[in-house]
Amino acid sequence: MNKKVSLQDLGRKDYKATWDYQEELFANIVAQKVAKRENPEIETDNHFLYVEHPHVYTLGKSGDLSNLLLSEKQLEEKGATFYKINRGGDITYHGPGQIVGYPIVDLENFFTDIHKYLRLLEEAIILTLAEYGLQSERSQGETGVWLGVGTPFARKICAMGVRASRWVTMHGFALNVNADLGYFDNIIPCGIRGKAVTSLNVELGVEKVGEAEVKQKILKHFSDLFEAEII
């Protein structure tokens, strides 16, 4: 089993171009798995992509288009794009000031349990936020990471949506660090009405949080939880 995970930080990159790149890495791992049947010595790759997207709304395969509250013209006016994609979950927003992480890994190198995979991704974010003095948690029946669960002030700080096929994952998480929360007003985030969205800088009461530091903390917890070696 190969527990090495190759890290790439793509910087700011168009959503569709990044999606295409994910699909390419995903297909390569699947091809390796097929070849491994004939030659058990072959190791399958694992990747972890960091990226920041220009303003974009994405709708998961089980999502409801009515949760997008903008017309095509309004999207254009806001400089945003829209894609219907092949991950789980409903609608979400990506944009500047948000740390997006896409682990594209062969879970057979770690464990074969998609629910455990999601819970560990959430745990990596929960542990990272704890380093900033924030107590975050899961909300029953709602994937992602939240603050103030069970109170009238419940708010989501990290969205998650993944796809897995043949135990290979793609898509991942989006943590609001210095995000422009106004863009969330144009959707019903994740199809959940009456729940607010927040960002790390808002919770800490500062203008800007160092994103490079947050990325390092997430990676450390990801590495520990998955017993992975980041390269």
Side-chain angles (χ1 to χ4, degrees), residues 7-200:
L7 171 67
Q8 291 182 70
D9 193 325
L10 304 178
R12 185 172 296 190
K13 192 174 178 70
D14 173 74
Y15 185 85
K16 181 64 166 65
T18 309
W19 185 13
D20 289 344
Y21 184 47
Q22 281 194 77
E23 291 279 13
E24 181 185 320
L25 296 176
F26 179 92
N28 287 344
I29 296 173
V30 170
Q32 289 170 341
K33 289 176 75 98
V34 171
K36 191 177 175 73
R37 291 178 198 157
E38 301 294 324
N39 181 2
E41 298 299 309
I42 290 173
E43 287 191 333
T44 53
D45 294 334
N46 305 293
H47 303 273
F48 190 114
L49 307 180
Y50 269 136
V51 67
E52 180 183 77
H53 293 305
H55 302 296
V56 60
Y57 296 99
T58 69
L59 183 71
K61 57 191 176 188
S62 58
D64 185 343
L65 187 57
S66 67
N67 290 326
L68 174 64
L69 308 177
L70 297 174
S71 65
E72 269 188 52
K73 185 171 185 297
Q74 288 170 318
L75 275 171
E76 197 175 310
E77 287 169 355
K78 290 190 174 294
T81 52
F82 170 77
Y83 294 99
K84 189 159 187 176
I85 63 173
N86 60 350
R87 60 158 170 80
D90 205 286
I91 197 161
T92 196
Y93 159 78
H94 298 310
Q98 189 182 67
I99 292 176
V100 177
Y102 295 134
I104 305 163
V105 301
D106 179 6
L107 284 180
E108 287 191 295
N109 286 325
F110 302 94
F111 48 77
T112 49
D113 184 333
I114 192 63
H115 293 288
K116 179 179 179 180
Y117 172 69
L118 279 166
R119 299 297 82 78
L120 290 187
L121 275 189
E122 290 167 343
E123 190 66 17
I125 301 300
I126 288 168
L127 292 171
T128 297
L129 294 174
E131 292 198 56
Y132 290 91
L134 295 180
Q135 183 183 346
S136 60
E137 56 193 307
R138 299 169 185 85
S139 180
Q140 192 169 356
E142 298 169 334
T143 304
V145 178
W146 299 72
L147 300 171
V149 173
T151 77
F153 308 106
R155 54 216 184 273
K156 192 171 199 174
I157 194 166
C158 182
M160 292 193 181
V162 303
R163 175 193 173 206
S165 177
R166 302 190 190 188
W167 297 114
V168 182
T169 66
M170 61 183 292
H171 301 297
F173 65 86
L175 174 64
N176 299 328
V177 179
N178 300 298
D180 180 348
L181 298 178
Y183 276 82
F184 286 97
D185 295 339
N186 305 313
I187 59 173
I188 300 168
C190 304
I192 302 167
R193 292 181 182 274
K195 293 277 181 79
V197 177
T198 191
S199 188
L200 183 55

